[in-house]
Amino acid sequence: MNATPHINPDFAKGARLGDAVELAASLGVCKNTVWNHVGARRIPAVRLGSVVRFHLPSVLRALGVKQVITALLLLLATSASAADFAGFVRAIHQVETSGRTGAILGDGGRSLGPLQVSRAAWQDSRVGGRYEDVADLAVATRVLRAYLTRYAPAALASEDWTTCARVWNGGPRGASKAATVGYARAVVGRLQ
């Protein structure tokens, strides 16, 4: 991952960008193959902060895939976006509590439930009810979405799960904290 990504000037503003996992899944290859092609400058990429993203149409053109296949893959990637947040929630759930549910206490009693919601995160999310309600996965998921909508709206909208995980783990400025990098890697490594 030491490769310096090639910045493609053809990236359209506002175009949907994908990450290495998504690109690998779209192409039916492993993400190491994607990184090998980035390092060899055969796949155009752009660095957005600490995250390398791919403009899927440019990548597919660079690899010589016909426009019909390009359109189909982009249609699949776009239609899967609702499931992507669900996959992110499953990954957080696995990292936080190994998929357990209920009133699980963590962080020395400072976090509760399957997604390990702190009282501060629950309050910041502005989801109603009682803090104890976060023991329910559906409520904890609403808290997670509301929290990210408030503190990482661009990352949530662009499905930048690395940034979302860092903010969830480290608070509103979590994306800039070195301490959240390992957590984000653990979450992204479990995305399905």
Side-chain angles (χ1 to χ4, degrees):
M1 296 207 199
N2 295 336
T4 304
H6 172 65
I7 309 262
N8 185 338
D10 296 333
F11 284 177
K13 285 189 177 178
R16 187 179 186 290
L17 301 178
D19 65 15
V21 172
E22 178 180 28
L23 179 59
S26 296
L27 297 174
V29 298
C30 73
K31 74 177 179 182
N32 288 339
T33 301
V34 170
W35 284 114
N36 289 339
H37 284 283
V38 168
R41 302 184 116 204
R42 288 188 295 258
I43 292 182
V46 64
R47 182 174 292 283
L48 300 173
S50 63
V51 178
V52 176
R53 304 292 279 182
F54 304 94
H55 180 239
L56 298 177
S58 296
V59 168
L60 295 170
R61 271 196 309 274
L63 296 176
V65 178
K66 293 183 179 183
Q67 291 292 357
V68 173
I69 295 173
T70 302
L72 288 173
L73 286 174
L74 289 173
L75 180 61
L76 286 172
T78 304
S79 66
S81 64
D84 288 342
F85 182 75
F88 175 68
V89 171
R90 283 190 301 274
I92 293 281
H93 190 188
Q94 284 299 312
V95 169
E96 291 291 356
T97 61
S98 301
R100 293 179 296 147
T101 57
I104 304 156
L105 286 174
D107 298 323
R110 295 186 317 266
S111 297
L112 177 64
L115 303 183
Q116 292 295 281
V117 180
S118 69
R119 187 174 293 275
W122 170 73
Q123 289 170 333
D124 283 350
S125 76
R126 300 178 178 158
V127 170
R130 301 172 306 125
Y131 172 61
E132 292 73 19
D133 296 339
V134 301
D136 180 75
L137 182 58
V139 174
T141 300
R142 285 198 309 272
V143 169
L144 172 61
R145 184 184 290 276
Y147 188 86
L148 294 175
T149 298
R150 183 171 181 190
Y151 290 114
L156 183 60
S158 68
E159 299 174 349
D160 177 356
W161 304 128
T162 299
T163 299
C164 288
R166 293 182 74 188
V167 169
W168 181 245
N169 181 243
R173 292 188 197 94
S176 62
K177 296 178 181 177
T180 63
V181 171
Y183 178 85
R185 283 187 186 138
V187 170
V188 170
R190 286 171 176 79
L191 286 174
Q192 299 171 356

